[in-house]
Structure formats: C-alpha cells, structure tokens
PDB file of all heavy atoms in Angstrom:
ATOM      1  N   LEU K   1     168.366 159.961 226.445  1.00  0.00           N
ATOM      2  CA  LEU K   1     167.095 160.554 226.867  1.00  0.00           C
ATOM      3  C   LEU K   1     165.969 159.997 225.999  1.00  0.00           C
ATOM      4  O   LEU K   1     165.996 160.132 224.773  1.00  0.00           O
ATOM      5  CB  LEU K   1     167.156 162.076 226.731  1.00  0.00           C
ATOM      6  CG  LEU K   1     165.962 162.850 227.291  1.00  0.00           C
ATOM      7  CD1 LEU K   1     166.026 162.899 228.815  1.00  0.00           C
ATOM      8  CD2 LEU K   1     165.925 164.272 226.716  1.00  0.00           C
ATOM      9  N   TYR K   2     164.970 159.393 226.661  1.00  0.00           N
ATOM     10  CA  TYR K   2     163.839 158.794 225.962  1.00  0.00           C
ATOM     11  C   TYR K   2     162.549 159.522 226.344  1.00  0.00           C
ATOM     12  O   TYR K   2     162.214 159.600 227.535  1.00  0.00           O
ATOM     13  CB  TYR K   2     163.667 157.329 226.354  1.00  0.00           C
ATOM     14  CG  TYR K   2     164.860 156.447 226.133  1.00  0.00           C
ATOM     15  CD1 TYR K   2     165.810 156.264 227.148  1.00  0.00           C
ATOM     16  CD2 TYR K   2     165.051 155.764 224.931  1.00  0.00           C
ATOM     17  CE1 TYR K   2     166.906 155.432 226.968  1.00  0.00           C
ATOM     18  CE2 TYR K   2     166.149 154.928 224.740  1.00  0.00           C
ATOM     19  CZ  TYR K   2     167.073 154.778 225.762  1.00  0.00           C
ATOM     20  OH  TYR K   2     168.160 153.953 225.590  1.00  0.00           O
ATOM     21  N   PRO K   3     161.782 160.014 225.390  1.00  0.00           N
ATOM     22  CA  PRO K   3     160.430 160.489 225.714  1.00  0.00           C
ATOM     23  C   PRO K   3     159.598 159.326 226.256  1.00  0.00           C
ATOM     24  O   PRO K   3     159.744 158.179 225.795  1.00  0.00           O
ATOM     25  CB  PRO K   3     159.898 160.966 224.352  1.00  0.00           C
ATOM     26  CG  PRO K   3     161.123 161.244 223.529  1.00  0.00           C
ATOM     27  CD  PRO K   3     162.124 160.227 223.961  1.00  0.00           C
ATOM     28  N   VAL K   4     158.745 159.579 227.230  1.00  0.00           N
ATOM     29  CA  VAL K   4     158.004 158.481 227.862  1.00  0.00           C
ATOM     30  C   VAL K   4     157.093 157.754 226.877  1.00  0.00           C
ATOM     31  O   VAL K   4     156.789 156.573 227.074  1.00  0.00           O
ATOM     32  CB  VAL K   4     157.179 158.980 229.070  1.00  0.00           C
ATOM     33  CG1 VAL K   4     158.086 159.403 230.205  1.00  0.00           C
ATOM     34  CG2 VAL K   4     156.223 160.104 228.657  1.00  0.00           C
ATOM     35  N   GLU K   5     156.682 158.433 225.805  1.00  0.00           N
ATOM     36  CA  GLU K   5     155.786 157.782 224.851  1.00  0.00           C
ATOM     37  C   GLU K   5     156.472 156.630 224.099  1.00  0.00           C
ATOM     38  O   GLU K   5     155.798 155.764 223.531  1.00  0.00           O
ATOM     39  CB  GLU K   5     155.216 158.792 223.850  1.00  0.00           C
ATOM     40  CG  GLU K   5     156.243 159.551 223.024  1.00  0.00           C
ATOM     41  CD  GLU K   5     156.616 160.902 223.629  1.00  0.00           C
ATOM     42  OE1 GLU K   5     156.517 161.031 224.873  1.00  0.00           O
ATOM     43  OE2 GLU K   5     156.981 161.794 222.865  1.00  0.00           O
ATOM     44  N   VAL K   6     157.797 156.607 224.106  1.00  0.00           N
ATOM     45  CA  VAL K   6     158.517 155.487 223.493  1.00  0.00           C
ATOM     46  C   VAL K   6     158.158 154.186 224.219  1.00  0.00           C
ATOM     47  O   VAL K   6     157.835 153.171 223.591  1.00  0.00           O
ATOM     48  CB  VAL K   6     160.041 155.720 223.538  1.00  0.00           C
ATOM     49  CG1 VAL K   6     160.780 154.497 222.991  1.00  0.00           C
ATOM     50  CG2 VAL K   6     160.425 156.970 222.762  1.00  0.00           C
ATOM     51  N   PHE K   7     158.197 154.222 225.540  1.00  0.00           N
ATOM     52  CA  PHE K   7     157.896 153.032 226.337  1.00  0.00           C
ATOM     53  C   PHE K   7     156.419 152.646 226.228  1.00  0.00           C
ATOM     54  O   PHE K   7     156.072 151.464 226.246  1.00  0.00           O
ATOM     55  CB  PHE K   7     158.282 153.258 227.792  1.00  0.00           C
ATOM     56  CG  PHE K   7     159.747 153.518 227.979  1.00  0.00           C
ATOM     57  CD1 PHE K   7     160.238 154.823 228.006  1.00  0.00           C
ATOM     58  CD2 PHE K   7     160.650 152.465 228.083  1.00  0.00           C
ATOM     59  CE1 PHE K   7     161.593 155.076 228.163  1.00  0.00           C
ATOM     60  CE2 PHE K   7     162.003 152.707 228.235  1.00  0.00           C
ATOM     61  CZ  PHE K   7     162.482 154.009 228.267  1.00  0.00           C
ATOM     62  N   ALA K   8     155.564 153.653 226.110  1.00  0.00           N
ATOM     63  CA  ALA K   8     154.132 153.377 225.975  1.00  0.00           C
ATOM     64  C   ALA K   8     153.850 152.612 224.683  1.00  0.00           C
ATOM     65  O   ALA K   8     152.949 151.763 224.637  1.00  0.00           O
ATOM     66  CB  ALA K   8     153.335 154.682 225.994  1.00  0.00           C
ATOM     67  N   LYS K   9     154.651 152.883 223.661  1.00  0.00           N
ATOM     68  CA  LYS K   9     154.400 152.259 222.361  1.00  0.00           C
ATOM     69  C   LYS K   9     155.114 150.926 222.190  1.00  0.00           C
ATOM     70  O   LYS K   9     154.536 149.977 221.637  1.00  0.00           O
ATOM     71  CB  LYS K   9     154.827 153.206 221.233  1.00  0.00           C
ATOM     72  CG  LYS K   9     154.473 152.697 219.845  1.00  0.00           C
ATOM     73  CD  LYS K   9     154.676 153.757 218.781  1.00  0.00           C
ATOM     74  CE  LYS K   9     154.231 153.239 217.411  1.00  0.00           C
ATOM     75  NZ  LYS K   9     154.394 154.275 216.357  1.00  0.00           N
ATOM     76  N   ILE K  10     156.368 150.803 222.664  1.00  0.00           N
ATOM     77  CA  ILE K  10     157.139 149.587 222.364  1.00  0.00           C
ATOM     78  C   ILE K  10     157.471 148.742 223.585  1.00  0.00           C
ATOM     79  O   ILE K  10     158.057 147.671 223.466  1.00  0.00           O
ATOM     80  CB  ILE K  10     158.438 149.932 221.607  1.00  0.00           C
ATOM     81  CG1 ILE K  10     159.457 150.624 222.534  1.00  0.00           C
ATOM     82  CG2 ILE K  10     158.158 150.769 220.374  1.00  0.00           C
ATOM     83  CD1 ILE K  10     160.827 150.764 221.912  1.00  0.00           C
ATOM     84  N   GLY K  11     157.105 149.196 224.774  1.00  0.00           N
ATOM     85  CA  GLY K  11     157.387 148.445 225.982  1.00  0.00           C
ATOM     86  C   GLY K  11     158.730 148.801 226.598  1.00  0.00           C
ATOM     87  O   GLY K  11     159.366 149.784 226.215  1.00  0.00           O
ATOM     88  N   ASN K  12     159.169 147.981 227.537  1.00  0.00           N
ATOM     89  CA  ASN K  12     160.367 148.239 228.331  1.00  0.00           C
ATOM     90  C   ASN K  12     161.566 147.495 227.728  1.00  0.00           C
ATOM     91  O   ASN K  12     161.456 146.828 226.697  1.00  0.00           O
ATOM     92  CB  ASN K  12     160.110 147.792 229.772  1.00  0.00           C
ATOM     93  CG  ASN K  12     160.951 148.522 230.792  1.00  0.00           C
ATOM     94  OD1 ASN K  12     162.058 148.958 230.519  1.00  0.00           O
ATOM     95  ND2 ASN K  12     160.418 148.672 232.000  1.00  0.00           N
ATOM     96  N   PHE K  13     162.713 147.606 228.372  1.00  0.00           N
ATOM     97  CA  PHE K  13     163.897 146.868 227.946  1.00  0.00           C
ATOM     98  C   PHE K  13     163.678 145.366 228.137  1.00  0.00           C
ATOM     99  O   PHE K  13     162.965 144.942 229.047  1.00  0.00           O
ATOM    100  CB  PHE K  13     165.120 147.336 228.735  1.00  0.00           C
ATOM    101  CG  PHE K  13     165.558 148.730 228.392  1.00  0.00           C
ATOM    102  CD1 PHE K  13     165.056 149.823 229.078  1.00  0.00           C
ATOM    103  CD2 PHE K  13     166.457 148.952 227.358  1.00  0.00           C
ATOM    104  CE1 PHE K  13     165.441 151.118 228.753  1.00  0.00           C
ATOM    105  CE2 PHE K  13     166.855 150.238 227.026  1.00  0.00           C
ATOM    106  CZ  PHE K  13     166.346 151.326 227.716  1.00  0.00           C
ATOM    107  N   ASP K  14     164.325 144.567 227.282  1.00  0.00           N
ATOM    108  CA  ASP K  14     164.095 143.125 227.272  1.00  0.00           C
ATOM    109  C   ASP K  14     165.027 142.424 228.257  1.00  0.00           C
ATOM    110  O   ASP K  14     166.103 141.940 227.891  1.00  0.00           O
ATOM    111  CB  ASP K  14     164.318 142.588 225.853  1.00  0.00           C
ATOM    112  CG  ASP K  14     163.845 141.148 225.698  1.00  0.00           C
ATOM    113  OD1 ASP K  14     163.660 140.469 226.727  1.00  0.00           O
ATOM    114  OD2 ASP K  14     163.671 140.707 224.544  1.00  0.00           O
ATOM    115  N   LYS K  15     164.597 142.341 229.509  1.00  0.00           N
ATOM    116  CA  LYS K  15     165.419 141.722 230.547  1.00  0.00           C
ATOM    117  C   LYS K  15     165.441 140.201 230.447  1.00  0.00           C
ATOM    118  O   LYS K  15     166.332 139.546 230.987  1.00  0.00           O
ATOM    119  CB  LYS K  15     164.922 142.139 231.934  1.00  0.00           C
ATOM    120  CG  LYS K  15     163.520 141.639 232.266  1.00  0.00           C
ATOM    121  CD  LYS K  15     163.124 142.005 233.688  1.00  0.00           C
ATOM    122  CE  LYS K  15     161.735 141.482 234.017  1.00  0.00           C
ATOM    123  NZ  LYS K  15     161.370 141.741 235.419  1.00  0.00           N
ATOM    124  N   LEU K  16     164.468 139.614 229.744  1.00  0.00           N
ATOM    125  CA  LEU K  16     164.391 138.162 229.624  1.00  0.00           C
ATOM    126  C   LEU K  16     165.457 137.621 228.674  1.00  0.00           C
ATOM    127  O   LEU K  16     166.209 136.705 229.022  1.00  0.00           O
ATOM    128  CB  LEU K  16     162.998 137.754 229.140  1.00  0.00           C
ATOM    129  CG  LEU K  16     162.798 136.258 228.853  1.00  0.00           C
ATOM    130  CD1 LEU K  16     162.971 135.444 230.143  1.00  0.00           C
ATOM    131  CD2 LEU K  16     161.425 136.011 228.245  1.00  0.00           C
ATOM    132  N   HIS K  17     165.525 138.179 227.478  1.00  0.00           N
ATOM    133  CA  HIS K  17     166.442 137.656 226.470  1.00  0.00           C
ATOM    134  C   HIS K  17     167.833 138.288 226.527  1.00  0.00           C
ATOM    135  O   HIS K  17     168.816 137.659 226.118  1.00  0.00           O
ATOM    136  CB  HIS K  17     165.846 137.866 225.071  1.00  0.00           C
ATOM    137  CG  HIS K  17     164.566 137.149 224.856  1.00  0.00           C
ATOM    138  ND1 HIS K  17     163.354 137.802 224.750  1.00  0.00           N
ATOM    139  CD2 HIS K  17     164.292 135.824 224.745  1.00  0.00           C
ATOM    140  CE1 HIS K  17     162.399 136.924 224.578  1.00  0.00           C
ATOM    141  NE2 HIS K  17     162.931 135.712 224.565  1.00  0.00           N
ATOM    142  N   LEU K  18     167.903 139.524 227.023  1.00  0.00           N
ATOM    143  CA  LEU K  18     169.181 140.258 227.032  1.00  0.00           C
ATOM    144  C   LEU K  18     169.402 140.859 228.415  1.00  0.00           C
ATOM    145  O   LEU K  18     169.233 142.054 228.626  1.00  0.00           O
ATOM    146  CB  LEU K  18     169.160 141.347 225.958  1.00  0.00           C
ATOM    147  CG  LEU K  18     169.023 140.828 224.521  1.00  0.00           C
ATOM    148  CD1 LEU K  18     168.645 141.963 223.570  1.00  0.00           C
ATOM    149  CD2 LEU K  18     170.308 140.155 224.056  1.00  0.00           C
ATOM    150  N   PRO K  19     169.799 140.036 229.387  1.00  0.00           N
ATOM    151  CA  PRO K  19     169.871 140.494 230.773  1.00  0.00           C
ATOM    152  C   PRO K  19     170.979 141.493 231.076  1.00  0.00           C
ATOM    153  O   PRO K  19     170.891 142.210 232.068  1.00  0.00           O
ATOM    154  CB  PRO K  19     170.093 139.192 231.565  1.00  0.00           C
ATOM    155  CG  PRO K  19     170.702 138.257 230.581  1.00  0.00           C
ATOM    156  CD  PRO K  19     170.096 138.595 229.261  1.00  0.00           C
ATOM    157  N   HIS K  20     171.987 141.582 230.217  1.00  0.00           N
ATOM    158  CA  HIS K  20     173.099 142.498 230.525  1.00  0.00           C
ATOM    159  C   HIS K  20     173.548 143.291 229.288  1.00  0.00           C
ATOM    160  O   HIS K  20     173.285 144.474 229.184  1.00  0.00           O
ATOM    161  CB  HIS K  20     174.269 141.718 231.119  1.00  0.00           C
ATOM    162  CG  HIS K  20     175.283 142.573 231.806  1.00  0.00           C
ATOM    163  ND1 HIS K  20     174.961 143.476 232.801  1.00  0.00           N
ATOM    164  CD2 HIS K  20     176.632 142.672 231.654  1.00  0.00           C
ATOM    165  CE1 HIS K  20     176.058 144.096 233.224  1.00  0.00           C
ATOM    166  NE2 HIS K  20     177.081 143.626 232.533  1.00  0.00           N
ATOM    167  N   TYR K  21     174.201 142.642 228.361  1.00  0.00           N
ATOM    168  CA  TYR K  21     174.677 143.323 227.151  1.00  0.00           C
ATOM    169  C   TYR K  21     173.640 143.278 226.033  1.00  0.00           C
ATOM    170  O   TYR K  21     172.815 142.368 225.964  1.00  0.00           O
ATOM    171  CB  TYR K  21     175.977 142.695 226.654  1.00  0.00           C
ATOM    172  CG  TYR K  21     177.185 143.032 227.505  1.00  0.00           C
ATOM    173  CD1 TYR K  21     177.926 142.029 228.106  1.00  0.00           C
ATOM    174  CD2 TYR K  21     177.578 144.355 227.711  1.00  0.00           C
ATOM    175  CE1 TYR K  21     179.034 142.332 228.892  1.00  0.00           C
ATOM    176  CE2 TYR K  21     178.673 144.669 228.492  1.00  0.00           C
ATOM    177  CZ  TYR K  21     179.404 143.654 229.077  1.00  0.00           C
ATOM    178  OH  TYR K  21     180.485 143.958 229.856  1.00  0.00           O
ATOM    179  N   ALA K  22     173.714 144.297 225.161  1.00  0.00           N
ATOM    180  CA  ALA K  22     172.944 144.399 223.906  1.00  0.00           C
ATOM    181  C   ALA K  22     171.486 144.807 224.078  1.00  0.00           C
ATOM    182  O   ALA K  22     170.808 145.074 223.087  1.00  0.00           O
ATOM    183  CB  ALA K  22     173.019 143.105 223.095  1.00  0.00           C
ATOM    184  N   SER K  23     170.977 144.874 225.303  1.00  0.00           N
ATOM    185  CA  SER K  23     169.580 145.283 225.479  1.00  0.00           C
ATOM    186  C   SER K  23     169.361 146.723 225.049  1.00  0.00           C
ATOM    187  O   SER K  23     168.280 147.077 224.576  1.00  0.00           O
ATOM    188  CB  SER K  23     169.151 145.102 226.934  1.00  0.00           C
ATOM    189  OG  SER K  23     169.921 145.915 227.804  1.00  0.00           O
ATOM    190  N   ASP K  24     170.389 147.569 225.215  1.00  0.00           N
ATOM    191  CA  ASP K  24     170.256 148.964 224.802  1.00  0.00           C
ATOM    192  C   ASP K  24     170.190 149.085 223.287  1.00  0.00           C
ATOM    193  O   ASP K  24     169.336 149.806 222.742  1.00  0.00           O
ATOM    194  CB  ASP K  24     171.403 149.816 225.359  1.00  0.00           C
ATOM    195  CG  ASP K  24     172.774 149.183 225.194  1.00  0.00           C
ATOM    196  OD1 ASP K  24     172.896 148.111 224.556  1.00  0.00           O
ATOM    197  OD2 ASP K  24     173.759 149.768 225.706  1.00  0.00           O
ATOM    198  N   TYR K  25     171.060 148.347 222.581  1.00  0.00           N
ATOM    199  CA  TYR K  25     171.020 148.365 221.120  1.00  0.00           C
ATOM    200  C   TYR K  25     169.695 147.801 220.607  1.00  0.00           C
ATOM    201  O   TYR K  25     169.096 148.338 219.673  1.00  0.00           O
ATOM    202  CB  TYR K  25     172.184 147.549 220.551  1.00  0.00           C
ATOM    203  CG  TYR K  25     173.517 148.286 220.496  1.00  0.00           C
ATOM    204  CD1 TYR K  25     173.717 149.467 221.203  1.00  0.00           C
ATOM    205  CD2 TYR K  25     174.570 147.799 219.746  1.00  0.00           C
ATOM    206  CE1 TYR K  25     174.930 150.139 221.160  1.00  0.00           C
ATOM    207  CE2 TYR K  25     175.795 148.465 219.684  1.00  0.00           C
ATOM    208  CZ  TYR K  25     175.972 149.627 220.395  1.00  0.00           C
ATOM    209  OH  TYR K  25     177.167 150.287 220.338  1.00  0.00           O
ATOM    210  N   GLU K  26     169.243 146.699 221.221  1.00  0.00           N
ATOM    211  CA  GLU K  26     167.980 146.107 220.786  1.00  0.00           C
ATOM    212  C   GLU K  26     166.816 147.066 220.989  1.00  0.00           C
ATOM    213  O   GLU K  26     165.951 147.207 220.125  1.00  0.00           O
ATOM    214  CB  GLU K  26     167.724 144.810 221.568  1.00  0.00           C
ATOM    215  CG  GLU K  26     166.498 144.027 221.121  1.00  0.00           C
ATOM    216  CD  GLU K  26     165.179 144.538 221.700  1.00  0.00           C
ATOM    217  OE1 GLU K  26     165.187 145.005 222.863  1.00  0.00           O
ATOM    218  OE2 GLU K  26     164.144 144.478 221.005  1.00  0.00           O
ATOM    219  N   PHE K  27     166.801 147.763 222.138  1.00  0.00           N
ATOM    220  CA  PHE K  27     165.709 148.700 222.414  1.00  0.00           C
ATOM    221  C   PHE K  27     165.702 149.830 221.392  1.00  0.00           C
ATOM    222  O   PHE K  27     164.636 150.229 220.901  1.00  0.00           O
ATOM    223  CB  PHE K  27     165.848 149.264 223.829  1.00  0.00           C
ATOM    224  CG  PHE K  27     164.682 150.108 224.255  1.00  0.00           C
ATOM    225  CD1 PHE K  27     163.546 149.526 224.797  1.00  0.00           C
ATOM    226  CD2 PHE K  27     164.707 151.492 224.102  1.00  0.00           C
ATOM    227  CE1 PHE K  27     162.456 150.304 225.187  1.00  0.00           C
ATOM    228  CE2 PHE K  27     163.630 152.274 224.483  1.00  0.00           C
ATOM    229  CZ  PHE K  27     162.497 151.682 225.028  1.00  0.00           C
ATOM    230  N   SER K  28     166.876 150.344 221.064  1.00  0.00           N
ATOM    231  CA  SER K  28     166.962 151.432 220.091  1.00  0.00           C
ATOM    232  C   SER K  28     166.511 150.974 218.703  1.00  0.00           C
ATOM    233  O   SER K  28     165.822 151.712 217.993  1.00  0.00           O
ATOM    234  CB  SER K  28     168.394 151.968 220.019  1.00  0.00           C
ATOM    235  OG  SER K  28     168.786 152.530 221.248  1.00  0.00           O
ATOM    236  N   CYS K  29     166.902 149.766 218.311  1.00  0.00           N
ATOM    237  CA  CYS K  29     166.451 149.223 217.030  1.00  0.00           C
ATOM    238  C   CYS K  29     164.932 149.097 217.009  1.00  0.00           C
ATOM    239  O   CYS K  29     164.267 149.414 216.011  1.00  0.00           O
ATOM    240  CB  CYS K  29     167.091 147.863 216.784  1.00  0.00           C
ATOM    241  SG  CYS K  29     168.867 147.886 216.459  1.00  0.00           S
ATOM    242  N   ARG K  30     164.383 148.626 218.119  1.00  0.00           N
ATOM    243  CA  ARG K  30     162.930 148.466 218.238  1.00  0.00           C
ATOM    244  C   ARG K  30     162.228 149.822 218.139  1.00  0.00           C
ATOM    245  O   ARG K  30     161.193 149.970 217.482  1.00  0.00           O
ATOM    246  CB  ARG K  30     162.597 147.800 219.572  1.00  0.00           C
ATOM    247  CG  ARG K  30     161.245 147.156 219.625  1.00  0.00           C
ATOM    248  CD  ARG K  30     160.872 146.537 220.946  1.00  0.00           C
ATOM    249  NE  ARG K  30     161.924 146.237 221.865  1.00  0.00           N
ATOM    250  CZ  ARG K  30     161.786 146.293 223.185  1.00  0.00           C
ATOM    251  NH1 ARG K  30     160.631 146.664 223.713  1.00  0.00           N
ATOM    252  NH2 ARG K  30     162.791 145.984 223.990  1.00  0.00           N
TER     253      ARG K  30
END
C-alpha cells in the first residue's frame, strides 16, 4: 500500500530500466 504522495514526490515505477524484475525493490529504495 502506497500513499499517493509517494508517487507525486518520486515518480512512477521504472519501466525503462527494469521492465519486469527488481522494479519493486528499486522503487522502495527510492
């Protein structure tokens, strides 16, 4: 569960560099 303000501040998931695996871990680190 993500508060919407997270996306407002850091953007969306990185579909360019991580199209399938690891995008969730990267987003959480970010």
Side-chain angles (χ1 to χ4, degrees):
L1 187 76
Y2 303 91
V4 291
E5 59 266 28
V6 176
F7 298 93
K9 186 170 183 179
I10 72 170
N12 206 331
F13 291 90
D14 191 343
K15 65 176 181 176
L16 175 63
H17 298 110
L18 297 165
H20 196 54
Y21 287 121
S23 62
D24 46 5
Y25 279 15
E26 185 278 326
F27 187 85
S28 297
C29 291
R30 200 182 341 148

